[in-house]
Each structure stands twice: as C-alpha cells, then as structure tokens.
Amino acid sequence: MKFFVIGIDDNQEQYFIPEITDLINSHSVFSGGARHHEIVKRFLPEDYCWIDIKVPLTDVFGQYGAYEEVVVFASGDPLFFGFANTIQRMMPAAEVFLYPYFNSLQLLAHRLLLPYQDMHIVSLTGRPWHKFDEALIMGYDKIGVLTDNKEHTPQSIAQRMLRYGYNNYVMSVGELLGNREQEKYSTYNLKDIENRPFSFPNNIILQKTNTRPRPFGISESEFNLLDGRVKMITKMPVRLLSLSLLDLRGKSTFWDIGFCTGSVSVEAKMQFPHLHIFAFEKRAEGIKLIETNMQKFGTPGIEYYTGDFLDMNISDLSRPDAVFIGGHGGKMKEIVSKIKPVLNTNASLVFNAVSDESRLIFIEAIQENCFTLEQDIEIKIDDFNTIHVMKGNNNI
C-alpha cells in the first residue's frame, strides 16, 4: 500500500506545485482532519472519497486497508510529531512518500526572525507534562512547545511555569499561523498570559531571560520540614550518596517510599529530570510538605501518594528501576516483599540505616527476597550517628 502525505498550513488559499497538483488529480481517495478537508476540498476531483482522521485510529486504518493508494493531507512537516509517523507505526510495510511544508514552530520562528537551530522541542499535544517539565528543569535557552486546546494551552503552560518558579522565560505565541487573514503572533511576560484567550491552533516558543539556580545538592536547611524537625530529613551528603548508589542516570522510573519532606524525590528530579518519580508517605502532612518543596525548588511532575504503603494498590504504577526506602515503620520485610514482584530486573534498592538493628533488618529483608547486598557505606555527619548507606540489587 502507498501513502502520499502532503504537508499544508492554515492558508485558505493554498498553492500546490505542479507535481502535487498532478498527484491530486490522479487519485480519488483522500484523507486528513476536518480542518484540512475544509482547506483542500476545492482542489479535489469530482466523486472523491474522503476519510476523516479521528479517533479511534484503528478504524481509520481499517478504512485505508480497502485501497491501494491514499493521499493524506497533514499539518506542516508530516514527520514532525506528524501523521507520517503514525502511518509508519500502524502500517510499517506501507510505502510513504512525503511532500513536507514548514512545521508550525518553524513558522513562528520565521515570524519572530528568531534563529531556531538551538531550540529544544516538546510536544504537549495530547501528551503528559513530563517532557515539558524535564525541559524546564534542564533550563534550555529556547523551548518550542506544541500545544493543544484542552489541558496544554498557553494559559495553562504559563500557570504551571509560574507555580514552579520558572518566571525566567518570556513566551511567544503564534495563532493560526499560515492563515493570512487571521494569524497573530506576539511575545508576552508569563503573568500577562495566565488568563488571556488565544485562537487555536497555536504554539509557543519560550526564550530564557536569566538562568535559574540548579544546585548539585540542596542543603537540608532550605527544605520546609515536618514540624521543623531537622532529624526527619535525609541530610544532603547522605542524600547525594544515596542517589549515586541508585545510579539514576540510566533509569526511567524511581520510587521513593516514606518521602516525608520529599527531599530525596526533589533532589532526584532536579539532578535527573528525565525520571518518572512516584513518592509514598504514610502521614497526610506529607502532601503539603512535598508540594511546597516541589514548588520552591522547581521540580514539577513528582507523583505522590499518602497512606499506608502496604495497603496501596501499586499494580497500575510504572515498574521501578530504582527504589529508595526512607521510612518503613517497622515493616521493612513486608515492604521489600511487596515491591519485589513489581521491580524491573537489576533494579536498585537503597536504604539508610541509622542503627545496627535497622541495618540487620534490611539485610535480612533483601536476602529473603533474593537481592544481593552490593554496597554498605558508612558515613558520619557532624555529631549525628554513623549512617549505613546500603544498596541491594534485584538479580531475579
């Protein structure tokens, strides 16, 4: 089967080169979104068949299967988060021929006369916030963002950035780019966008105005604490050593069990923004603490849960590559037994033992669940007791 994918913009007066005109005139089956249909229908031959691209896509590709060749109209560059990628995924054996146009972020950069070779690009179109949060924490100078008209609008993006302290960017918004009669583009401070309406489709380019601090190691004195109790937080040197043993750079999903202030999760997110982090805490007070500390240090995207971990349904959560146990409430063996079945192979498990008793309990727990004790490092800070930072590895 063959697909001919033609990229267009929102211009209501399209111009097609002779090669594309001949392609259109020699075919009878066409496809695209409703907006594309409105733009190109006057160019289509009589008695044409149009297949709307809409969910569920399995139905759309089921219709495609009845034909040998389909001409598809798509927005901009069909390989730029576009429909050509979907064709390759859904029908890998199909032949695909491309006739691309500028993608929408290129158009916005052109309107702004903004060089964009160093722009980091994120799509939020029907996608979660994760990649956008990662880009913010990384602090790229230019971030191009594809939006949608539901959860990820320019307004909601500005609100999220301000909530987590990323007011060190200005936002350029392009609306209806390519529509000569209606397109708009302008640059705003984030606070001017929070409640401002924009026409859809739109996209944005963020330009950094100054660099937000991103320390390697956050002092415990900087965190909001549980009732001001400094002993209820993992000290910075211990925290960094724990993260080192967890080896998070090459991991995808991290669980923090017993997060209390959220210091380990926050530090992990700051140093490894690509991580999907799930944090668990028995005390309900942990909600306010972790939210406050996430906002203070600019680490959005940490998913947190409160309640007894042993009573939680964890079957629907992403399987962890690394787990930190910050608190166990005397139920270490039960916790390790519960997480063992959901761990990925070679997942790391780290625990900080503050007493000989807790050290032995951890060793027994991992041995009973077929972990290997890989490291046991002693560290002492000021006049606090010696702490054993211990790492178990899931070999089965």
Side-chain angles (χ1 to χ4, degrees):
M1 185 175 180
K2 294 181 180 180
F3 287 92
F4 302 88
V5 189
I6 302 170
I8 63 175
D9 62 5
D10 269 4
N11 183 6
Q12 303 301 304
E13 300 293 330
Q14 292 286 321
Y15 168 76
F16 293 120
I17 61 174
E19 181 182 359
I20 294 179
T21 299
D22 291 344
L23 184 67
I24 294 172
N25 291 334
S26 62
H27 285 79
S28 59
V29 182
F30 302 89
S31 186
R35 181 166 52 89
H36 302 131
H37 193 191
E38 286 299 315
I39 293 173
V40 304
K41 62 183 179 182
R42 69 185 185 88
F43 297 95
L44 304 182
E46 292 184 10
D47 300 324
Y48 69 88
C49 170
W50 182 270
I51 300 173
D52 264 325
I53 297 177
K54 57 185 179 181
V55 293
L57 289 177
T58 51
D59 290 350
V60 176
F61 280 85
Q63 295 178 67
Y64 290 161
Y67 305 98
E68 293 184 0
E69 296 185 356
V70 177
V71 176
V72 178
F73 294 95
S75 296
D77 181 350
L79 285 177
F80 183 77
F81 300 99
F83 196 68
N85 302 340
T86 306
I87 294 172
Q88 290 178 317
R89 185 179 71 252
M90 301 284 286
M91 300 184 73
E95 293 185 79
V96 180
F97 302 88
L98 296 181
Y99 301 84
Y101 188 66
F102 294 114
N103 67 62
S104 59
L105 287 173
Q106 287 177 312
L107 289 177
L108 180 54
H110 295 165
R111 302 295 190 267
L112 299 170
L113 295 179
L114 179 69
Y116 60 88
Q117 67 275 0
D118 59 341
M119 182 165 63
H120 182 83
I121 296 169
V122 175
S123 175
L124 286 176
T125 307
R127 291 173 167 86
W129 288 104
H130 183 73
K131 287 294 183 181
F132 179 73
D133 295 339
E134 179 182 350
L136 284 183
I137 297 170
M138 292 295 295
Y140 294 110
D141 290 337
K142 298 189 189 85
I143 305 174
V145 184
L146 300 177
T147 61
D148 59 32
N149 61 350
K150 296 178 182 177
E151 183 181 356
H152 308 105
T153 64
Q155 302 96 316
S156 64
I157 292 169
Q159 291 164 6
R160 188 175 184 86
M161 293 177 70
L162 291 171
R163 180 183 178 190
Y164 290 99
Y166 288 95
N167 57 351
N168 58 326
Y169 285 88
V170 294
M171 180 185 290
S172 299
V173 183
E175 308 169 66
L176 302 171
L177 294 178
N179 186 321
R180 296 177 183 176
E181 293 77 23
Q182 299 183 52
E183 77 167 19
K184 299 177 185 177
Y185 56 92
S186 193
T187 300
Y188 309 86
N189 292 317
L190 296 182
K191 289 185 177 179
D192 297 330
I193 290 180
E194 285 185 284
N195 300 302
R196 185 186 183 98
F198 292 95
S199 300
F200 188 81
N202 56 59
N203 60 11
I204 66 176
I205 294 177
L206 299 167
Q207 297 178 69
K208 189 166 68 176
T209 57
N210 58 80
T211 299
R212 177 192 168 108
R214 187 183 167 208
F216 181 73
I218 307 170
S219 171
E220 53 269 20
S221 63
E222 296 294 316
F223 285 94
N224 281 53
L225 303 174
L226 179 64
D227 299 326
R229 295 153 65 186
V230 72
K231 290 186 178 181
M232 297 296 290
I233 184 171
T234 305
K235 305 297 184 292
M236 180 179 68
V238 178
R239 190 185 323 127
L240 293 179
L241 177 57
S242 299
L243 295 180
S244 174
L245 295 189
L246 286 162
D247 191 24
L248 295 172
R249 192 170 302 282
K251 305 293 177 63
S252 173
T253 302
F254 169 55
W255 286 13
D256 177 8
I257 300 175
F259 66 73
C260 191
T261 62
S263 64
V264 173
S265 289
V266 166
E267 186 84 63
K269 191 68 174 178
M270 180 173 289
Q271 307 307 334
F272 309 98
H274 70 282
L275 282 176
H276 295 270
I277 299 179
F278 299 84
F280 308 88
E281 171 56 46
K282 188 172 185 177
R283 290 170 288 242
E285 302 95 307
I287 295 176
K288 184 175 181 180
L289 277 176
I290 197 169
E291 285 183 346
T292 300
N293 288 321
M294 286 168 60
Q295 292 177 29
K296 184 174 184 178
F297 298 106
T299 54
I302 299 170
E303 295 189 36
Y304 52 85
Y305 305 85
T306 58
D308 192 326
F309 178 77
L310 294 174
D311 294 333
M312 292 182 184
N313 179 10
I314 60 175
S315 60
D316 294 334
L317 302 181
S318 300
R319 295 167 66 95
D321 307 296
V323 176
F324 177 77
I325 300 179
H328 57 89
K331 300 291 183 67
M332 175 66 77
K333 291 185 178 182
E334 292 87 343
I335 290 173
V336 175
S337 296
K338 179 165 184 169
I339 63 176
K340 171 68 178 184
V342 301
L343 287 174
N344 284 321
T345 304
N346 294 321
S348 302
L349 178 62
V350 169
F351 172 66
N352 298 333
V354 297
S355 67
D356 290 337
E357 181 184 6
S358 61
R359 176 177 176 272
L360 292 175
I361 289 174
F362 179 72
I363 292 174
E364 290 176 6
I366 65 173
Q367 288 177 342
E368 290 175 7
N369 286 277
C370 301
F371 287 81
T372 300
L373 179 63
E374 287 198 347
Q375 289 183 282
D376 183 352
I377 301 174
E378 294 185 25
I379 182 171
K380 183 175 175 60
I381 303 170
D382 300 329
D383 58 348
F384 291 97
N385 293 337
T386 298
I387 295 175
H388 286 260
V389 182
M390 310 170 71
K391 175 183 179 179
N393 194 68
N394 181 37
N395 298 313
I396 300 177

